[in-house]
Amino acid sequence: MYRKAYGIIETLAPVHVGATAGEESGNLNLIFRDQFLQTGIIPGSSIRGRLRADMRRSGEADEEHWYGRAARTGETDSTSESIVKFEYASIVWLPVFCPGQPVVWVSCPRLLERYRRIVGITEQIPEPYTGSSNLQARQGSGTQRTLFFNLGFLTVEHTAPLGAWFPNAVEKPAAVVADNDMAMIHDMALYRQSRVALDEDEKKVKGGAFFNVEALPEGTILIFPVALKPVSDAQDWQPFEGKTQGEIYLGGLESVGFGHCRIDIKLQNPDQGANL
């Protein structure tokens, strides 16, 4: 039985993890997406690679002990299994521009179901079109309220406390929409930027060096499961220089302000371990 843990990611800047952000003419460099909802994800390999690289640089722990030995040229059976295993990070709450607020965090039942399974909470998943009690919306007939979104209107049919669905239990202005609405709302909320490369000698665009990039916006909250192989020191895995919280950079375009994230690792009690 593996010991169960999970990590919460809060993006402190736009995060691009996906197609290479190169200088291809006119290309849109997409982020990785969930297979069914088409919402952004961060692959477990990206999280693992960054944590491993940071642990190697700190020199305070044996990164090969936790993440396994890589293959060595000319040596047979030189690899080893990692103790720490990562799954992909999915969105829990996505910030969407909303005139007058100016941000509303949006999620859907399928994303909240994954969050509930990983965290182990017992709350009932809110119905679609449920708004938080602190959501500013125009009062309609009965319990209905109308929320003016970036590109349209959303009818909020129910009101319920949603604090239990936020990692720090602090309720933000939020709305839960139906699963089949999430892809469209996600696409209108992504951070997009057109970029060019300048000629080395003159302040003009280098020929063909024009591309577009999309990213998860600042303020996005994601969750990823972690499994720890049953070894005697598994409870000592603290990837941030002896701590379970830290700030790292994920994805590309770090040098121009992308990728800054805060990660909080939650190690669960041994009796909460799961057969994975």
Side-chain angles (χ1 to χ4, degrees), residues 51-230:
L51 293 180
R52 178 172 188 152
D54 286 354
M55 183 175 281
R56 183 189 302 130
R57 186 165 48 244
S58 71
E60 295 183 358
D62 183 2
E63 48 95 8
E64 288 191 341
H65 171 70
W66 295 109
Y67 303 112
R69 285 195 302 275
R72 294 186 174 90
T73 305
E75 295 184 25
T76 58
D77 299 327
S78 59
T79 60
S80 66
E81 182 185 358
S82 65
I83 293 174
V84 189
K85 302 165 191 305
F86 297 88
E87 294 182 31
Y88 70 92
S90 62
I91 292 173
V92 184
W93 292 103
L94 179 73
V96 179
F97 169 67
C98 195
Q101 306 223 19
V103 181
V104 170
W105 275 261
V106 176
S107 190
C108 68
R110 186 179 177 90
L111 293 175
L112 293 181
E113 173 59 37
R114 187 170 190 261
Y115 177 76
R116 181 170 71 167
R117 175 174 61 82
I118 296 170
V119 176
I121 60 177
T122 57
E123 297 280 335
Q124 291 293 318
I125 295 176
E127 294 184 73
Y129 310 112
T130 295
S132 63
S133 53
N134 58 356
L135 181 68
Q136 298 177 36
R138 189 178 62 189
Q139 188 65 46
S141 59
T143 59
Q144 287 191 349
R145 295 182 293 165
T146 301
L147 182 66
F148 179 37
F149 254 174
N150 189 11
L151 296 175
F153 294 92
L154 177 72
T155 300
V156 179
E157 299 177 351
H158 316 282
T159 299
L162 298 178
W165 297 96
F166 285 89
N168 56 6
V170 177
E171 187 177 46
K172 298 176 183 288
V176 178
V177 302
D179 290 341
N180 55 6
D181 288 338
M182 194 64 200
M184 180 184 65
I185 293 173
H186 171 270
D187 267 13
M188 84 182 185
L190 288 179
Y191 179 91
R192 291 192 175 87
Q193 189 178 68
S194 296
R195 304 186 58 81
V196 298
L198 298 181
D199 191 276
E200 292 183 1
D201 301 320
E202 296 181 78
K203 190 178 287 187
K204 67 176 186 179
V205 178
K206 190 164 59 177
F210 170 79
F211 64 99
N212 302 284
V213 64
E214 67 178 22
L216 292 172
E218 174 187 347
T220 304
I221 299 171
L222 305 100
I223 188 168
F224 61 95
V226 178
L228 298 170
K229 188 179 173 183

Side-chain angles (χ1 to χ4, degrees), residues 236-256:
D236 297 329
W237 179 61
Q238 295 177 321
F240 303 104
E241 299 182 356
K243 297 181 290 186
T244 56
Q245 297 176 327
E247 295 183 7
I248 63 173
Y249 282 83
L250 291 170
L253 298 170
E254 293 179 12
S255 62
V256 291

Side-chain angles (χ1 to χ4, degrees), residues 16 18-24 26-31 33 211-215 253:
H16 172 84
T20 304
E23 298 177 1
E24 300 85 357
N27 231 11
L28 173 59
N29 295 292
L30 304 173
I31 59 171
R33 282 173 161 78
F211 64 99
N212 302 284
V213 64
E214 67 178 22
L253 298 170

